[in-house]
Amino acid sequence: MQIPGFDYQRVPVDGDVALNVAVGGDGPPIVLLHGFPQTHLMWRKVAADLAADHTVICPDLRGYGASDKPAEGYSKRRMAADIITLARALGHDRFELAGHDRGALVAFRAGLDHPAAITRLTLLDIVPTLDMWDVLHGVRAAIGFHLFLMAQPPGLPETMIGAAPDAFFGHFLDVWAKSPFPADVRAEYLAASAAAVPSIVADYRASATTDIEDDAADRAAGRTLTMPVTVLQQDWGAQLGYDATAVWRPWAPRLDHRLVTCGHFMAEEAPDEVIKAIRS
């Protein structure tokens, strides 16, 4: 499936790795990064609106969708560098960046590593990796069981998930949403995820290893996101027992933190709210 009215191309970003990317509209550039277990298609409603006055760039992250799936290179630092290279290849040295879920973690890292390139960040339903592990405690951490599963050494997670990919990935599409996906969209996400089990696991495994180290080094050095940052998220703080705004403030001094009442997949469940946040 494709976003209607958008042009598609493959753009090399790192050696033999190329990203599948949809580009539409005209005007100031904005890059939209998808989450798990999805592809760039999750932005179809938001992208169509923004394309009225923006150049909208929607890639599949490395390891996902129709992008290449190398065996290595899934640190958020490497994936963020992919996005900077992609934007420059399309003629944009500076751009606005929005991300959801895994894509938001990539966007967060891009903002820290490449502040001169990012004019503004919009991050949907995450806390930074280092804080994510800190807020998961006791029985309440069961909501993030997949994080612990995919943090295991290579072999076991890939075998278990690969044995029943539709059941595994479908669980998140069903449980994290407050309204069901259209059948064709759900089927698209399931097929794309089933074809990418090793790379998806590698992405998550990096969040239990390299990404923690990178975040910890930045925290110790006092590095922050210098651009305006808007965070939209469900009220995970109330559910897991932490102050979400207090978690975000040290990372993002120019923070606009907003709670939403829709499910996790807000770009599809509440696109008008996401569009408003990006445009505000």
Side-chain angles (χ1 to χ4, degrees), residues 37-60:
Q38 299 173 288
T39 69
H40 76 281
L41 188 65
M42 62 153 281
W43 290 109
R44 62 196 181 280
K45 299 176 183 178
V46 173
D49 183 279
L50 295 178
D53 50 12
H54 288 75
T55 298
V56 183
I57 301 166
C58 301
D60 288 331

Side-chain angles (χ1 to χ4, degrees), residues 113-134:
D113 286 0
H114 307 278
I118 312 300
T119 60
R120 182 165 175 256
L121 278 174
T122 303
L123 306 174
L124 309 185
D125 222 22
I126 65 158
V127 292
T129 300
L130 188 63
D131 302 287
M132 174 187 72
W133 292 108
D134 286 345

Side-chain angles (χ1 to χ4, degrees), residues 36 74 98 181 256:
F36 162 91
Y74 292 96
F181 287 92
D256 177 11

Side-chain angles (χ1 to χ4, degrees), residues 134-169:
D134 286 345
V135 302
L136 293 173
H137 298 292
V139 173
R140 289 181 295 189
I143 194 170
F145 79 93
H146 61 300
L147 300 171
F148 297 92
L149 171 62
M150 289 191 276
Q152 303 309 308
L156 181 63
E158 293 87 342
T159 300
M160 293 178 66
I161 297 168
D166 286 0
F168 181 76
F169 296 115

Side-chain angles (χ1 to χ4, degrees), residues 24-99:
D26 186 50
I30 181 169
V31 178
L32 306 177
L33 304 181
H34 67 86
F36 162 91
Q38 299 173 288
T39 69
H40 76 281
L41 188 65
M42 62 153 281
W43 290 109
R44 62 196 181 280
K45 299 176 183 178
V46 173
D49 183 279
L50 295 178
D53 50 12
H54 288 75
T55 298
V56 183
I57 301 166
C58 301
D60 288 331
L61 296 168
R62 76 158 59 201
Y64 288 81
S67 289
D68 287 340
K69 303 172 179 63
E72 299 178 345
Y74 292 96
S75 71
K76 300 308 152 300
R77 174 157 284 156
R78 177 61 261 170
M79 295 173 78
D82 286 350
I83 303 308
I84 300 299
T85 302
L86 168 68
R88 287 175 179 165
L90 296 175
H92 308 293
D93 290 328
R94 284 174 56 80
F95 54 95
E96 187 171 344
L97 183 58

